[in-house]
Amino acid sequence: MEIALLTDVGQKRTNNQDYVNHFVNRAGRTMILLADGMGGHRAGNIASEMAVTDLGVAWVDTQIDTVNEVREWFAHYLELENQKIHQMGKDEAYKGMGTTLEAVAIIGNQAIYAHIGDSRIGLIRGENYRQLTSDHSLVNALLKAGQLTPEEAEIHPQKNIITQSIGQKDEIQPDFGMVSLELGDYLLLNSDGLTNMISGSDIYDIVTSDISLADKAATLIRFANNAGGLDNITVALVHMNEEEVE
């Protein structure tokens, strides 16, 4: 398994509120965490870095080696982090702080994921790029209810309003999922700064091109910047190669 992580401030923002990292626990199992923070100038980048780092540190200290243990760990630790960031957000300096979160644990050839907000996880396999997550956003809720067309959703002025985040007052309700990975598969975790700027077909073409994984991550970010780079852009690419598939 090969991993490439990259984040960029984009063309319009003065600070980067995205954060990404990966961690390995005592059983040798990898977790990748990506967060897109929100709130005041400082609050957003603190929320995203805190969520990724706190959860990463907690993961490193486990011996988790089964899918069911991952699910239980997610259910417990994501809510703990939600409450921690919510409490901090009561301080005037961190008012309104919160963050999206994508978390993927890889156990053998199984990827178990948790999703909150409008960052995304996708799978590139064969001829297809498939989004595994569904945005927790106002616009996506209207789209699902049939009140907006996909074309209207693309240009909706409230596109950035999310309906769930780490740091909210109410208990979070993450989406959990699992996918069996095959030889040659790519997993892509990204903030909305990528998918708001470039199409799924561009993503597919870049990820399946004949360049290194690090160059693929850099090319995804370059394309998003060339399209306007209106937001911070963060990607985590995972490639399943022979040695890792069990």
Side-chain angles (χ1 to χ4, degrees):
M1 179 173 62
E2 192 185 355
I3 300 171
L5 310 174
L6 200 58
T7 186
D8 189 87
V9 70
Q11 300 294 309
K12 304 293 182 187
R13 300 289 172 95
T14 54
N15 67 330
N16 193 344
Q17 299 197 333
D18 290 359
Y19 202 81
V20 64
N21 209 342
H22 79 290
F23 303 86
V24 179
N25 75 356
R26 294 206 300 262
R29 301 307 189 178
T30 295
M31 179 172 286
I32 298 140
L33 294 154
L34 182 149
D36 177 355
M38 67 207 78
H41 189 69
R42 283 182 66 239
N45 55 350
I46 291 170
S48 58
E49 184 172 347
M50 255 178 70
V52 168
T53 305
D54 287 350
L55 291 165
V57 166
W59 176 255
V60 164
D61 203 33
T62 72
Q63 304 234 26
I64 289 173
D65 202 28
T66 68
V67 167
N68 284 340
E69 287 174 298
V70 174
R71 286 192 178 120
E72 289 168 15
W73 188 90
F74 277 154
H76 179 68
Y77 279 94
L78 295 185
E79 184 54 39
L80 272 186
E81 193 63 22
N82 178 50
Q83 292 305 324
K84 179 178 176 179
I85 290 178
H86 175 66
Q87 286 303 319
M88 262 188 84
K90 291 179 176 177
D91 186 308
E92 193 58 39
Y94 306 115
K95 198 168 176 63
M97 81 188 302
T99 183
T100 72
L101 186 78
E102 305 305 317
V104 177
I106 296 174
I107 309 281
N109 70 332
Q110 302 293 319
I112 308 98
Y113 59 87
H115 159 73
I116 296 161
D118 65 352
S119 297
R120 292 178 174 180
I121 303 170
L123 174 70
I124 293 101
R125 171 182 294 164
E127 301 293 307
N128 295 305
Y129 161 53
R130 176 165 64 97
Q131 193 180 321
L132 299 175
T133 54
S134 180
D135 297 349
H136 295 140
S137 68
L138 175 65
V139 164
N140 198 38
L142 293 171
L143 186 63
K144 284 178 169 175
Q147 293 176 24
L148 286 179
T149 67
E151 293 73 26
E152 288 168 334
E154 278 300 310
I155 55 167
H156 199 281
Q158 293 174 309
K159 196 173 177 185
N160 63 338
I161 295 178
I162 61 174
T163 53
Q164 277 209 76
S165 63
I166 298 275
Q168 67 186 30
K169 177 168 173 269
D170 298 328
E171 191 175 326
I172 50 169
Q173 295 179 303
D175 293 336
F176 299 112
M178 187 168 76
V179 62
S180 296
L181 298 171
E182 298 175 2
L183 182 61
D185 282 356
Y186 293 89
L187 273 179
L188 170 65
L189 289 71
N190 65 272
S191 62
D192 64 344
L194 180 77
T195 33
N196 282 343
M197 290 286 106
I198 67 173
S199 68
S201 60
D202 279 341
I203 290 171
Y204 175 84
D205 288 345
I206 293 164
V207 172
T208 56
S209 62
D210 193 17
I211 54 177
S212 73
L213 200 68
D215 286 345
K216 291 174 185 189
T219 305
L220 287 168
I221 285 177
R222 190 173 76 248
F223 267 58
N225 273 324
N226 289 345
L230 300 180
D231 200 352
N232 308 143
I233 312 151
T234 303
V235 300
L237 261 180
V238 183
H239 186 214
M240 296 306 286
N241 51 22
E242 218 155 357
E243 297 77 33
E244 197 67 27
V245 177
E246 295 173 0

